Amino acid sequence: MKVVIPAAGLGTRFLPATKSQPKEMLPVLDRPIIQYVVEEAVASGADDILIVTGRGKRALEDHFDHSPEFDSSGKYPELEHLAELVRHARIHFVRQREPRGLADAIGLARQHTGSEPFGVLLGDTINVCEPPLLRQLWDRYEKLQATVMAVEQVAAEKVHDYGIVEGKEESPGVFRCERLLEKPDPSETRSRLGITGAYVFTPDIYSAIDRTRPDARGELQITDALQVLTADEPVYATTFQGTRYDIGDRFLWLRANLEFAYGVPEHRARLRPILERLLEESSDSVRPHGSPRSRRTHRQKRGHAE
Ligand code: G1P
């Protein structure tokens, strides 16, 4: 299975952390986000991965490259899993020269995937699913022989952050797409089925991208290309089992760190008293990190405990 991972976005929602490092390299617990995405692809059966990068994203290439300082010494068992991933799948890179939208980034894979169907996972989204989300989608693709994407119910106030699917539910959780709208106003659609950013495409998506018009910002949106594709062939959306962490959102990044840490027994034992203390404190005393009051409170508490 070939998988394309667009990772060219500027990460503006995460500034200043992403001013000089790719958002895909932000760590969640002990690994950069992109490593989780590659792990999901490999666990889903990928043996060939194309990562679409852009300016300022060299760290992504370095992460999956051989590094003589670390790799040859055998001293770092922490790197063994990463080495294993690279043994399972060939990882290639292509650069998107200008930020011209997700469909433009996916379009850069055309020569690479050729006439085969292929999976797409976003480089800033971790899916915790069993079976892995892309595997679930691929199995669905094999039954339907049609493009299929993952969707989940989103709150009305979040509709404008998502591609939204309107369609007919043909079997439980599987919708044949009729209309797709990129980040609409909630008043424009009654649907609350948000596209989560995991897809399996037939190769026909490339000709649909060619026929897609840029949006108001001059970007080519994959949701608009999917709308074009619905005129040519069936396109499906499916709900899935599992949890998605869109790391482009700083709250969800924080949530992912907390939940992942909580899943590790040794971290959980140390986190629990901290979380309990935070919950006990009145909301008045919880101030942004670094504010004079919060530093004083922290010192006082530590002093008290020592
Ligand atoms: C992209 C897609 C959007 C999808 C979203 C999921 O938007 O364009 O259709 O719902 O990913 O995260 P972005 O979040 O990159 O702005």
Side-chain angles (χ1 to χ4, degrees):
M1 180 199 302
K2 285 188 176 165
V3 173
V4 177
I5 303 179
L10 294 175
T12 44
R13 283 188 289 165
F14 238 114
L15 285 169
T18 48
K19 183 161 180 283
S20 65
Q21 70 165 334
K23 64 177 167 180
E24 297 82 6
M25 288 302 293
L26 292 173
V28 169
L29 200 55
D30 59 353
R31 272 163 280 172
I33 295 158
I34 190 73
Q35 188 173 329
Y36 289 94
V37 181
V38 168
E39 283 170 13
E40 180 189 338
V42 170
S44 300
D47 54 6
D48 185 300
I49 295 171
L50 177 70
I51 303 182
V52 184
T53 67
R55 260 174 60 75
K57 300 270 185 172
R58 283 247 324 258
L60 292 173
E61 296 182 40
D62 289 341
H63 187 70
F64 294 101
D65 198 3
H66 176 65
S67 56
E69 312 86 309
F70 294 127
D71 298 354
S72 50
S73 65
K75 266 199 303 191
Y76 300 99
E78 302 89 337
L79 292 177
E80 198 34 54
H81 185 57
L82 177 59
E84 190 65 27
L85 280 182
V86 182
R87 276 196 287 275
H88 270 92
R90 287 185 64 84
I91 302 184
H92 312 265
F93 296 87
V94 62
R95 275 166 83 108
Q96 187 186 32
R97 297 180 66 170
E98 288 169 72
R100 293 191 52 217
L102 188 54
D104 179 72
I106 293 171
L108 294 175
R110 185 186 307 232
Q111 268 82 31
H112 195 82
T113 63
S115 56
E116 295 172 42
F118 61 98
V120 167
L121 290 170
L122 300 183
D124 63 358
T125 299
I126 301 176
N127 300 298
V128 180
C129 305
E130 196 46 53
L133 178 55
L134 194 58
R135 185 74 246 164
Q136 295 182 38
L137 290 181
W138 197 269
D139 291 345
R140 189 67 73 186
Y141 163 81
E142 287 189 326
K143 287 201 189 88
L144 299 166
Q145 291 295 310
T147 288
V148 58
M149 75 204 85
V151 288
E152 64 185 13
Q153 290 285 341
V154 299
E157 64 273 17
K158 290 277 177 195
V159 160
H160 67 266
D161 288 334
Y162 286 88
I164 298 290
V165 169
E166 289 177 2
K168 192 160 147 274
E169 192 166 11
E170 290 201 339
S171 57
V174 181
F175 299 81
R176 171 129 180 208
C177 300
E178 285 163 1
R179 194 158 81 113
L180 297 105
L181 303 111
E182 177 67 1
K183 306 198 172 111
D185 187 90
S187 63
E188 286 174 63
T189 175
R190 298 227 311 266
S191 173
R192 298 294 177 254
L193 284 179
I195 301 170
T196 69
Y199 314 79
V200 173
F201 291 109
T202 64
D204 300 330
I205 191 64
Y206 294 120
S207 91
I209 292 172
D210 289 342
R211 289 175 281 135
T212 300
R213 288 221 286 273
D215 66 8
R217 293 189 309 166
E219 294 186 358
L220 284 179
Q221 297 304 337
I222 197 66
T223 309
D224 297 337
L226 283 161
Q227 174 69 52
V228 171
L229 190 62
T230 55
D232 303 339
E233 59 187 41
V235 172
Y236 290 90
T238 178
T239 56
F240 60 96
Q241 298 293 322
T243 309
R244 180 182 71 101
Y245 299 90
D246 172 358
I247 309 291
D249 174 323
R250 60 187 74 201
F251 174 77
L252 287 175
W253 171 80
L254 186 60
R255 176 185 155 193
N257 272 290
L258 272 176
E259 290 190 11
F260 284 36
Y262 217 70
V264 179
E266 66 197 88
H267 293 326
R268 184 187 311 161
R270 294 169 73 185
L271 257 181
R272 191 189 290 265
I274 297 170
L275 294 176
E276 281 169 359
R277 172 171 67 72
L278 287 172
L279 285 172
E280 273 168 25
E281 282 181 8
S282 72
S283 56
D284 170 61
S285 65
V286 179
R287 292 185 171 240
H289 174 73
S291 74
R293 169 85 181 269
S294 97
R295 276 204 295 270
R296 194 165 57 241
T297 308
H298 185 61
R299 262 207 304 276
Q300 278 170 350
K301 291 225 174 260
R302 246 190 352 189
H304 194 65
E306 274 162 7

